[in-house]
Amino acid sequence: MKQLVFSDAQYWEEFLPLTFTRPIADMRVGILTFKERWEKLLGYNESFFITEKYLQVKYPEPEKDEALLIVPNFLPTPDVLQQIKNLQKGEALVYENELIASYINLDNFNIGQIEKCIDITEELVLFRKPWDLFTYNDKAIRFDFDLMTKGRTSQKISETNNVLGKAEDIFIEEGADVEFAFLNTNGGPIYIGKNAEVMEGVMLRGPIAICDHAVMKMGAKIFGATTFGPYAKICGEVSNAVIFGYTSKGHDGYLGNSVLGEWCNLGADTNTSNLKNNYSIVKMWSYREKRFVETGLQFCGTIMGDHSKTAINTQMNTGSVVGVAANIFKTGFPPNLVNGFSWGGGNNDPKFRLDKAYETAEIMMARRKIKLTEEDKAILKHVYHEF
């Protein structure tokens, strides 16, 4: 069987700062990561990555052999999925003049190996920018909900809960604890993963994905389309956000139209502005273009890289970008671009020491019984010195 290989060639830089610490395929949107979704769709138990060299210490490279090479950041239609499965060696699928899937031999690969390009004429949901993750999260949750629940039976919904809409649009995995909550599926489905906990008084308005072991604390108000990755801990008000996993927003405060990486922590009463006072289109920092670019969105909050933290009462500007392992604790609004490893969050603040960044990550990860590996340290060191 040919290898399943994910390529970062076209888009890795576009998704910074989220991809400083991972390939595109390891990003989460909907219920699943791109990698998990494609493995499930195509029947693979493992896959490989062609990504930045410094990331390959953690994400395995493929063998120089036959491969189904996929640009992972799109949702296939049923017809396109079948086209991918039917690809013959030397064939490729092209969407809007970009190659998104091919069946090739990676040994001395060159573009000349592709003998036939097939144009995709259907419209696809293609994620090109970080803010696309929350913009199209509604479509991703619905796609994954169907994929994850087809032919399966949900746990029974406890009678202590109030359900508005179709109960069949709620799927509760084994071990999840959901009591005295408000579950509204009129706007979309609600998925609750294994061993997740939805505490009393939580209000969920779909579409929402709560992944394995995530915790919704008492009284949380969650508007769709929102995703909470594994072990996320959430309270306060959240609307149209994507949290990759292991991140805590454990207290009141507003998070809207935002994407947070893993191992972040928002201090109590941290608030993200997602709308400018003049209602104009929001600009965000582009690492590729090295300037602020228009998102085309009126509502756009914060994009935050892994391991970053905010202090209590932090106020984030509309359209903020925060790098990896930044610590934001100064009074007033931080700038719209907070550099990675910032110690304070201001433009002229010093860098957080790398050894201290390791120490903080080790302590936080140990709380979830996960070890900061030497590979993780190597990636953080590279980002620290090169970006």
Side-chain angles (χ1 to χ4, degrees):
M1 189 177 185
K2 54 186 175 291
Q3 305 168 93
L4 177 58
V5 181
F6 300 117
S7 172
D8 276 358
Q10 293 123 296
Y11 288 104
W12 180 82
E13 196 172 9
E14 294 285 9
F15 284 103
L16 297 174
L18 302 170
T19 47
F20 274 133
T21 48
R22 62 175 57 78
I24 289 170
D26 205 36
M27 294 196 304
R28 185 177 304 276
V29 66
I31 300 172
L32 304 166
T33 66
F34 288 113
K35 170 184 177 291
E36 291 167 345
R37 185 177 299 111
W38 282 109
E39 287 179 346
K40 193 168 184 66
L41 287 168
L42 297 171
Y44 283 78
N45 293 321
E46 68 171 340
S47 49
F48 302 90
F49 306 84
I50 298 176
T51 184
E52 300 297 299
K53 200 66 182 175
Y54 76 93
L55 292 173
Q56 301 278 194
V57 299
K58 181 175 180 180
Y59 296 93
E61 295 181 76
E63 299 291 328
K64 300 297 184 182
D65 203 346
E66 292 185 1
L68 178 59
L69 187 67
I70 291 181
V71 174
N73 45 301
F74 71 96
L75 303 178
T77 64
D79 286 346
V80 169
L81 179 62
Q82 192 58 51
Q83 284 182 290
I84 291 172
K85 292 178 177 180
N86 291 343
L87 281 173
Q88 301 299 304
K89 194 172 179 181
E91 293 183 342
L93 296 179
V94 175
Y95 181 67
E96 296 182 348
N97 297 316
E98 292 189 19
L99 188 149
I100 61 170
S102 58
Y103 180 9
I104 57 173
N105 194 316
L106 290 176
D107 189 23
N108 298 317
F109 170 70
N110 62 77
I111 201 68
Q113 276 191 40
I114 298 177
E115 301 169 355
K116 181 180 179 182
C117 288
I118 303 164
D119 285 318
I120 295 173
T121 56
E122 294 182 80
E123 185 176 352
L124 299 179
V125 178
L126 178 62
F127 302 84
R128 293 183 171 93
K129 304 285 185 180
W131 50 86
D132 287 345
L133 297 175
F134 64 78
T135 300
Y136 303 132
N137 197 36
D138 184 308
K139 297 179 185 296
I141 290 174
R142 294 173 193 273
F143 185 99
D144 288 349
F145 188 87
D146 291 342
L147 180 64
M148 294 286 287
T149 66
K150 186 176 181 180
R152 301 175 62 222
T153 301
S154 168
Q155 275 198 97
K156 184 180 177 181
I157 302 170
S158 170
E159 293 181 358
T160 67
N161 297 295
N162 286 315
V163 176
L164 180 62
K166 297 179 180 178
E168 56 264 36
D169 287 338
I170 300 169
F171 195 95
I172 303 174
E173 295 280 6
E174 181 182 353
D177 183 8
V178 187
E179 299 287 350
F180 293 97
F182 299 86
L183 311 174
N184 183 343
T185 63
N186 282 333
I190 296 173
Y191 174 88
I192 301 173
K194 292 180 181 179
N195 301 311
E197 182 179 8
V198 178
M199 294 184 182
E200 53 272 25
V202 170
M203 293 174 278
L204 303 178
R205 179 182 285 261
I208 288 172
I210 300 170
C211 297
D212 297 354
H213 301 277
V215 176
M216 305 293 106
K217 297 178 71 175
M218 288 191 301
K221 298 181 291 186
I222 314 299
F223 298 83
T226 291
T227 292
F228 303 111
Y231 291 92
K233 186 173 289 188
I234 305 298
C235 195
E237 182 180 359
V238 182
S239 176
N240 192 203
V242 176
I243 294 177
F244 286 178
Y246 302 96
T247 282
S248 293
K249 182 197 174 302
H251 305 279
D252 284 341
Y254 176 71
L255 176 70
N257 304 97
S258 297
V259 184
L260 307 183
E262 293 184 343
W263 306 110
C264 299
N265 189 78
L266 302 187
D269 202 33
T270 291
N271 288 282
T272 61
S273 171
N274 65 340
L275 176 67
K276 297 176 71 173
N277 285 352
N278 61 3
Y279 299 90
S280 62
I281 297 300
V282 178
K283 292 184 177 181
M284 294 195 93
W285 179 258
S286 166
Y287 286 88
R288 178 189 285 274
E289 299 190 34
K290 296 179 174 57
R291 64 184 181 91
F292 288 94
V293 300
E294 285 198 352
T295 63
L297 302 174
Q298 191 176 53
F299 290 89
C300 190
T302 295
I303 308 294
M304 180 177 285
D306 288 4
H307 296 285
S308 285
K309 314 283 191 292
T310 66
I312 61 169
N313 299 318
T314 299
Q315 309 298 314
M316 301 300 296
N317 274 304
T318 315
S320 290
V321 175
V322 181
V324 172
N327 288 268
I328 302 170
F329 54 79
K330 293 290 187 69
T331 57
F333 284 91
N336 284 71
L337 173 64
V338 177
N339 291 321
F341 297 91
S342 173
W343 182 248
N347 286 323
N348 300 312
D349 287 329
K351 254 188 168 183
F352 191 29
R353 282 172 44 187
L354 185 58
D355 61 326
K356 292 296 183 182
Y358 290 160
E359 182 180 309
T360 301
E362 285 172 337
I363 294 170
M364 186 176 187
M365 294 172 73
R367 297 174 67 198
R368 299 289 180 265
K369 297 181 172 55
I370 294 177
K371 180 179 173 59
L372 181 72
T373 66
E374 292 304 313
E375 291 80 8
D376 293 327
K377 289 181 180 180
I379 290 170
L380 288 173
K381 183 178 181 180
H382 183 92
V383 175
Y384 186 89
H385 289 296
E386 297 299 325
F387 298 104

